[in-house]
Amino acid sequence: MDDYARRVPHTRRVAAFGAVVTALALAAPTAHAGAVTSGGLDRYYQQRLDWGSCVKGTGDQAGRDLDKAGVRCADVTVPLDYAAPGGRTIRVAISRLEATDRRHRLGALLINPGGPGGSGLDMPPDIRKAMKETGARYDLIGMDPRFVGRSTPLDCGWPVSTSVLSAGAGRAGFERQVALQKGLADKCRAVGADVLPHVSTRNTARDMNVIRGALGEEKLSYLGYSYGTYLGTVYTQMFPGRYDRVVLDGALDTPRYQPRLLRGAEPENERALAGWAAWAARRHATYGLGRSRDQVLATVDRIVAKSARGLTLRTGSDVFRVDDSHVPFLLVEGIADDTDAARAALGETVSVLADAAAGKPTRPSKHLAELLRYATTGVDSASGSAQAAILCGDVAAPRDPERYWRDIQRARVRHPLFGPLTNNISPCAFWDRPREKPTRVRHDARALIVAATGDPRAPYEGSVALRQRLPGSKLLTLKGANRHGIYGEYGNTCVDSKVNAYLATGRLPAKDETCAR
């Protein structure tokens, strides 16, 4: 989803995926750390981790930053196939910022940024800052899930870095999408047919439990954003009794998790776009997009209509050709954050697109150039490859392209801008069937669910539904924010203090609570 649900290009995290494995499947082992485990997994749970520098090569600035912050890194060995633990192994890269208050240490807290396929290796320093004094009491664990980032890689060699694109205005654009998305699936099958059946959220949850054992912990605490809320929920269901404090920020309700993660979020995206348009209208002198909300939205509509014939944007030596499959993506990427800085970035983006639509010279910002490179080239093919592999490996998608076309046409009536994106076909339509059924919630879990009422990536109703599905949980609502990802990122003191109180004490609020924007 980030990323469908988080920012699509990778930021410091960012931020919206055969045969069923038998019961041995592995009812993933739940023995205590260090104890004998079943299913031939002992050597994984009992492995000794070799902690060292996070730097990988001379140009690794991210690794140097982690080293400077006191973070150490290690590779965890896990089986590719948990049904055959004696077979091929892969590595999962993790990082650790150790607790400094050892006397009052509360254990290990594992962090996931979302995605699917987001890298969490660099998150511990920022999360420690967000946790304030509580952070010193935890070992903070970052993780690159299997086939993500510094873990054993999967790169299908895509010509683009994301499959999250719009079907555009008509049938011809949709047919181009069918060909593109099928080609993306074919490339992944050609490159990784031997590993694709083992790329899934359930296997990532199994990897997490191996990490727990290798760390010597009886239980893991967990902080997950966006798709990371689904991963966290799956972990509580597969390993009940193996988790302590769980924070799920921007939650997905489990039955709604599927390859078209943004489907159903059209109204929230439209409201977020309208909120931005009102903001931009008050700054017409800066962006020149219109003096009222409706005028700005009309400018957006004109850009989309013009893009159907193609727009050319130049920056330096780069020339980007974008069309109406890309412009909705650029808009969705920009409206998941209602802070002034994020709205200004989207204002710059739309202003440049408006110039391109008018045939004027363009000067894309560095941010927009990175987005365009991400959407139109394979500069980060590995990111899109991993995201698709997880989504497609988790839940089967409809196979018939005509079903997508019908869904697009129905959605276009009420949601002409976002409907063709949220209902578009994806590589999952051409993927092999998942090996396991999706996880169902069968166990209660005491979690703190954090949600904004105007979240355009994971609509608020999903957090409410998950709260009801987990009666022991509590819901912390931020009213009036069009934002995806709140804790430690949005600067809301009320939310941050309540999450930190829970992480410090392990006590959930007595009832659901609400904070103001």
Side-chain angles (χ1 to χ4, degrees):
M1 280 168 56
D2 222 259
D3 248 351
Y4 275 65
R6 307 203 48 76
R7 280 178 66 107
V8 183
H10 177 64
T11 61
R12 73 167 178 81
R13 285 197 271 279
V14 140
F17 304 1
V20 175
V21 178
T22 64
L24 179 65
L26 273 125
T30 57
H32 291 340
V36 175
T37 61
S38 62
L41 294 169
D42 307 25
R43 66 187 178 109
Y44 300 106
Y45 281 85
Q46 297 170 5
Q47 67 185 287
R48 182 175 179 177
L49 300 181
D50 183 16
W51 295 101
S53 171
C54 296
V55 176
K56 303 287 186 184
T58 55
D60 184 9
Q61 184 59 49
R64 285 195 291 272
D65 291 343
L66 287 173
D67 279 4
K68 185 177 180 180
V71 177
R72 305 298 278 171
C73 291
D75 286 335
V76 181
T77 300
V78 299
L80 172 66
D81 182 356
Y82 276 85
R88 179 178 170 185
T89 63
I90 58 174
R91 68 181 186 277
V92 173
I94 64 172
S95 62
R96 180 175 68 181
L97 185 57
E98 288 192 278
T100 54
D101 186 357
R102 307 299 295 182
R103 182 177 178 183
H104 302 101
R105 183 179 178 275
L106 293 170
L109 185 146
L110 190 144
I111 310 156
N112 183 273
S119 167
L121 208 71
D122 60 350
M123 294 187 71
D126 287 335
I127 296 302
R128 174 151 293 175
K129 292 177 185 175
M131 294 175 73
K132 302 189 184 304
E133 61 272 11
T134 302
R137 303 175 64 189
Y138 282 94
D139 287 353
L140 300 181
I141 309 298
M143 174 182 69
D144 282 357
R146 55 172 52 203
F147 301 107
V148 171
R150 299 192 185 198
S151 297
T152 297
L154 171 66
D155 187 345
C156 301
W158 283 3
V160 293
S161 301
T162 180
S163 61
V164 186
L165 298 168
S166 175
R171 182 74 192 207
F174 173 70
E175 292 296 344
R176 288 192 293 271
Q177 284 296 305
V178 172
L180 171 66
Q181 304 289 351
K182 182 179 185 303
L184 299 180
D186 289 345
K187 284 181 178 294
C188 281
R189 190 175 293 108
V191 168
D194 55 337
V195 302
L196 292 180
H198 310 292
V199 187
S200 70
T201 297
R202 287 179 65 84
N203 278 334
T204 298
R206 293 178 176 116
D207 294 343
M208 286 169 55
N209 205 46
V210 168
I211 292 169
R212 175 198 61 75
L215 291 172
E217 301 289 341
E218 294 290 328
K219 296 182 179 182
L220 275 180
S221 289
Y222 180 81
L223 167 63
Y225 295 89
S226 188
Y227 159 81
T229 67
Y230 179 73
L231 173 61
T233 302
V234 169
Y235 185 79
T236 67
Q237 300 306 299
M238 293 180 67
F239 301 96
R242 284 301 179 194
Y243 59 90
D244 185 10
R245 296 157 207 201
V246 175
V247 179
L248 307 176
D249 190 328
L252 305 173
D253 187 28
T254 50
R256 289 195 60 179
Y257 173 79
Q258 43 85 25
R260 290 186 285 179
L261 277 178
L262 287 175
R263 192 177 185 209
E266 297 89 356
E268 286 79 8
N269 279 278
E270 288 166 352
R271 285 194 289 270
L273 182 64
W276 166 80
W279 180 93
R282 296 192 294 272
R283 295 159 179 82
H284 176 72
T286 301
Y287 302 109
L289 300 173
R291 300 182 183 278
S292 69
R293 183 193 70 173
D294 288 348
Q295 287 178 1
V296 174
L297 292 175
T299 298
V300 170
D301 289 341
R302 285 196 297 273
I303 293 169
V304 175
K306 285 277 190 179
S307 70
R309 295 187 292 275
L311 303 177
T312 301
L313 294 87
R314 292 181 171 85
T315 176
S317 60
D318 291 326
V319 179
F320 300 105
R321 186 76 173 165
V322 302
D323 58 31
D324 55 354
S325 70
H326 303 111
V327 173
F329 160 84
L330 297 174
L331 296 171
V332 164
E333 189 281 334
I335 57 177
D337 185 345
D338 61 6
T339 61
D340 280 347
R343 285 180 161 176
L346 182 57
E348 293 172 2
T349 291
V350 177
S351 182
V352 170
L353 291 172
D355 285 345
K360 299 178 181 178
T362 59
R363 299 181 108 185
S365 65
K366 180 180 178 182
H367 169 72
L368 177 55
E370 289 175 350
L371 277 177
L372 293 171
R373 203 168 287 116
Y374 185 86
T376 64
T377 79
V379 64
D380 199 5
S381 165
S383 172
S385 302
Q387 181 173 92
I390 296 167
L391 282 166
C392 304
D394 278 344
V395 182
R399 315 290 285 184
D400 183 4
E402 290 304 314
R403 177 169 172 180
Y404 293 89
W405 176 245
R406 290 192 297 269
D407 289 344
I408 289 166
Q409 292 297 84
R410 281 193 292 266
R412 199 191 301 276
V413 175
R414 295 184 60 187
H415 310 292
L417 175 57
F418 294 120
L421 182 146
T422 59
N423 290 273
N424 195 20
I425 198 165
S426 78
C428 300
F430 309 99
W431 217 263
D432 293 341
R433 298 285 183 178
R435 290 187 62 177
E436 296 187 76
K437 293 180 180 178
T439 301
R440 294 180 61 185
V441 173
R442 301 180 186 276
H443 307 285
D444 194 4
R446 291 177 54 80
L448 181 60
I449 302 169
V450 182
T453 53
D455 188 335
R457 296 282 176 85
Y460 178 69
E461 64 186 32
S463 291
V464 173
L466 184 62
R467 161 70 178 91
Q468 295 170 345
R469 209 172 295 282
L470 302 173
S473 66
K474 291 294 184 289
L475 177 61
L476 176 58
T477 297
L478 178 61
K479 291 189 67 175
N482 298 327
R483 167 72 192 212
H484 186 64
I486 304 298
Y487 171 67
E489 299 184 341
Y490 194 57
N492 187 274
T493 303
C494 175
V495 168
D496 289 355
S497 62
K498 290 181 183 296
V499 172
N500 285 338
Y502 166 61
L503 290 173
T505 65
R507 293 192 296 271
L508 287 168
K511 59 181 181 179
D512 294 342
E513 296 189 347
T514 300
C515 292
R517 181 176 182 273

